[in-house]
Structure formats: C-alpha cells, structure tokens
Amino acid sequence: MTHVTERPVSGQPENGNRQLWTAEGSTNRRRTVTYADAGVSIHAGDKAVEMLKDKVARTHRPEVLGGLGGFSGLFKLDTSKYKSPVLASSTDGVGTKLAIAQQMNIHDTVGIDLVAMVVDDLVACGAEPLFLLDYIACGEVVPDRIAEIGAGIADGCRYAGCALLGGETAEHPGLMRPDEYDLSANGVGVVEEDMILGAERVQPGDVVIAMRSSGLHSNGYSLVRHVLLGQARLKLDSVIEDLGDQRTLGEELLTPTKIYAKDCLSLIAECDVRAFAHVTGGGIPGNLVRVLPKHLDATVNRSTWAPQPIFDLIQRKGRIDQHDLESTFNMGVGMFAVVSAADADRAMALLTGRGVECWHVGDIIEGTGQVHMLGSHTRG
C-alpha cells in the first residue's frame, strides 16, 4: 500500500491541531506522494555520505580542491612536474563476487576489489593513479551498508595512493532487491609520454617476473559459484580443510584483491621496466599476450610456483580442464612485470623488500606473439 503524507497549511503548526494543506481557492483535502513512497530515501543517502566523509578525506592528495558535495570533483594537475603528460583512464567493476558479499552480509572488502581492478589497469601502462570516482547502484540505501562499501573503496584508494574524488549512490527500488547492489568505478592516472609501457618496449631476452595474487581476485566468480555453491553444494560458512588456516569458504572467496599500484610505480622508478600485465579475465595467457609484440613470445614455467588451494578445489569439484582453468583464473599470479635481464635480480629484490612475493617465471623469446605455458605446477 502506498504511504500518503499530508502537509500543513503554510504558517500553521505541524503538531497539535494542525490544518491540512490546501490549494489556493480550494478547501478540498489534498494528499501527496513523496519520493520515499516510491522507495527512494534522500535522507538515507545523505546520512551515508556523512558517515563516509572522514574516510574519503584521508584519501585526498594535495591536488584535490574542495570537498564532498559539489557537482563535480576538482583535481588540479601540476603540469610543471611533467614534460609531456598523458592522461590514462580505466573503468571496471567487481562482478559477481558481489553476490558472495551480499549472501554473507560482509561489505567492507568489495570496495578494495573495485579499486584494484581499476588502478592496476592504470599502472600497467606506467601511469600513476591520480583519482577515482565510484558508482553504487542499490535497491535500497541502507546507510551502514553503503558506509561499509564506501570505507572499502576509500581503503583501496589509500593503498593505491589515489584520491577518492567523488561518486554517486543511486537507489533503484523495483529494479533491484533491497539487499542488492552493484559497483563500478572510473579512474584517471598520468604518465610521461616517453615513459608509457607496453609491447613496443619489450625485447628478446627480457625476463618475466610473476607477482603472487591474494587468491581469486575478482574474476571467474560466475564459474566459482556454479561449481562450488551449485554443483558441489558447499556452504559459505563451511570450514574447508583443503583451504588451510581454518578458513571458511566464504572468507576465502571474499579475500580482497591485491593492489600492486605503488609496488609497480616503485619498480618503474628503480628498474628498467618494459611492461606490466594485470591478470584479470582471460587468465595468464589472455593478459600476458597483450604486452607482446607480434615477433616475440613469452614463456611461463608452471613449475616455478604452486597456486593457492582454492584453484585446485575449483578444478576438482568442477572437473575443469587445465586450459579452461588458466583461461579464467589468475592461478596465483596477479601481475606480471617484464624487465630487462640486467635489472631482473634488482627488480625482484625491490619487490621482496616491499613484501610482494615474486619470482622469475619465464622469458621473452623470438616468436609470433604467443604465450607458452610450460611444465606443471608444484603442489603444497
């Protein structure tokens, strides 16, 4: 039933013996429907923004002008720092990993996933992430839930060194369930034109360095849910012995995506980096191939690392062949760096010093622009 509100006549008190609002020249009672009656609460949205202000403020860089509440976010780029600055942009979402967060009623990690998917695409070309704008669409604005999501986004921005410049929360009653939401974000970065990384810089004899992922990251969750929650009928609150550390399946699936932006920028500053490949949808071969020129190939030696147990669990429960597995998931590698052979040891020492698990996984050789997956993974 639609809720109906009544407004008092101008100048009359709202409490006590109130009079009904009337149109000029009429004494007929008029009943009005509010935006809240349609399922949209402006007050709830305002409350959620207020709860996030401090978190967002902690992401601000010196270039940010003004605060929350404007029609646009302002960022004063200091062009004096660059000879020929090029802006880089990226947009992405979290995908169906959000279904796990909504089932578990845990919302403070998916914002980190959102930032990671955007900023690690930006840094792949050598760009420093400058700022990010988020978009939250939901069936109902529950201030505490929106604040949890926003807090995760703010944390991710701090980890990446970029500002959370602004965003939008849109309430979609009737289109989405009250407990349902979706996330997306746009990010902007900057890189010197002569420092743009990519296939044009890759040379024969370069070394491919793998950086370990934190787990599944934010790709392949439609298959994960189909296999583990559907076919295998596993429960999110079940402790899966194969995963170790007494972790429930839900905890494993909500492990936040690793953010590599600052690590990659440090690598660029100290070493001769040719390219980065962010491993997202398409897996290792589908993303590493994007930084190969047509006359060169990359080798990836599986025997140099052991993927996290979650990948083996998915493969066994779903009876998924190796090719499909590697074309969907990161298999324990979230980012590749292609560096000169002379700087390979230095690059790995720098990453290790920053707490990033890394290793020499392969090499760049003459070829036709392909990725060769060699050997078999170690176990344990």
Side-chain angles (χ1 to χ4, degrees), residues 167-361:
E168 170 75 2
T169 299
E171 200 166 21
H172 293 164
L175 185 62
M176 305 175 77
R177 297 188 312 271
D179 62 340
E180 186 180 5
Y181 59 85
D182 197 8
L183 308 178
S184 64
N186 300 291
V188 172
V190 63
V191 59
E192 285 283 9
E193 186 173 13
D194 62 0
M195 293 293 290
I196 296 174
L197 305 180
E200 299 79 11
R201 290 178 174 265
V202 177
Q203 300 177 21
D206 285 347
V207 169
V208 182
I209 296 172
M211 301 181 215
R212 192 162 183 82
S213 70
S214 54
L216 288 166
H217 284 188
S218 293
N219 298 105
Y221 272 75
S222 293
L223 180 56
V224 170
R225 290 164 51 240
H226 175 73
V227 169
L228 299 185
L229 306 183
Q231 288 182 344
R233 297 185 180 181
L234 299 178
K235 303 298 183 183
L236 291 174
D237 59 359
S238 299
V239 175
I240 308 297
E241 185 177 347
D242 293 354
L243 300 180
D245 298 326
Q246 293 297 301
R247 286 166 65 85
T248 66
L249 177 61
E251 289 171 337
E252 176 66 34
L253 297 184
L254 282 188
T255 301
T257 303
K258 167 72 176 172
I259 294 177
Y260 301 94
K262 286 186 175 180
D263 304 312
C264 291
L265 292 174
S266 295
L267 210 58
I268 293 170
E270 299 292 336
C271 303
D272 186 6
V273 179
R274 317 287 203 193
F276 290 116
H278 184 202
V279 185
T280 55
I284 289 173
N287 286 282
L288 188 53
V289 73
R290 296 164 67 179
V291 298
L292 295 177
K294 293 182 178 179
H295 66 288
L296 296 177
D297 288 357
T299 62
V300 174
N301 189 346
R302 298 186 188 96
S303 68
T304 59
W305 86 96
Q308 291 93 333
I310 186 65
F311 298 105
D312 183 57
L313 179 68
I314 295 166
Q315 184 174 30
R316 285 190 291 104
K317 294 295 185 182
R319 296 191 289 274
I320 304 171
D321 68 39
Q322 190 72 23
H323 177 268
D324 286 342
L325 199 71
E326 291 179 338
S327 297
T328 305
F329 302 110
N330 66 60
M331 300 303 295
V333 179
M335 182 76 78
F336 286 105
V338 180
V339 303
S340 67
D343 269 3
D345 289 342
R346 186 181 182 189
M348 287 187 284
L350 186 150
L351 289 171
T352 301
R354 294 184 59 86
V356 179
E357 185 179 348
C358 63
W359 62 95
H360 179 171
V361 73

Side-chain angles (χ1 to χ4, degrees), residues 6-155:
E6 299 173 343
R7 289 189 265 175
V9 177
S10 177
Q12 296 295 326
E14 291 190 46
N15 50 22
N17 297 320
R18 66 180 183 180
Q19 296 183 23
L20 302 179
W21 181 91
T22 58
E24 184 178 353
S26 172
T27 59
N28 293 331
R29 185 182 198 175
R30 178 171 178 176
R31 300 190 298 178
T32 62
V33 178
T34 69
Y35 206 4
D37 295 329
V40 177
S41 173
I42 295 173
H43 298 298
D46 291 342
K47 183 179 179 182
V49 171
E50 188 65 31
M51 294 171 70
L52 280 171
K53 277 187 175 179
D54 289 344
K55 273 277 190 179
V56 173
R58 288 199 286 272
T59 74
H60 283 182
R61 298 163 49 116
E63 302 97 326
V64 175
L65 303 180
L68 290 179
F71 287 100
S72 59
L74 301 177
F75 191 95
K76 186 177 181 180
L77 181 64
D78 183 2
T79 55
S80 66
K81 293 169 55 178
Y82 308 93
K83 293 181 294 183
S84 182
V86 174
L87 294 180
S89 63
S90 178
T91 186
D92 212 332
V94 180
T96 61
K97 185 173 186 175
L98 294 177
I100 306 297
Q102 289 160 27
Q103 284 181 258
M104 296 186 67
N105 197 28
I106 296 175
H107 313 287
D108 60 351
T109 61
V110 288
I112 299 172
D113 294 297
L114 178 64
V115 176
M117 299 302 286
V118 174
V119 299
D120 286 341
D121 274 356
L122 288 175
V123 81
C125 72
E128 176 190 0
L130 297 175
F131 59 83
L132 182 137
L133 301 167
D134 67 79
Y135 180 82
I136 305 172
C138 59
E140 178 184 354
V141 171
V142 178
D144 287 343
R145 183 167 62 212
I146 298 300
E148 287 182 39
I149 297 169
I153 297 172
D155 285 342

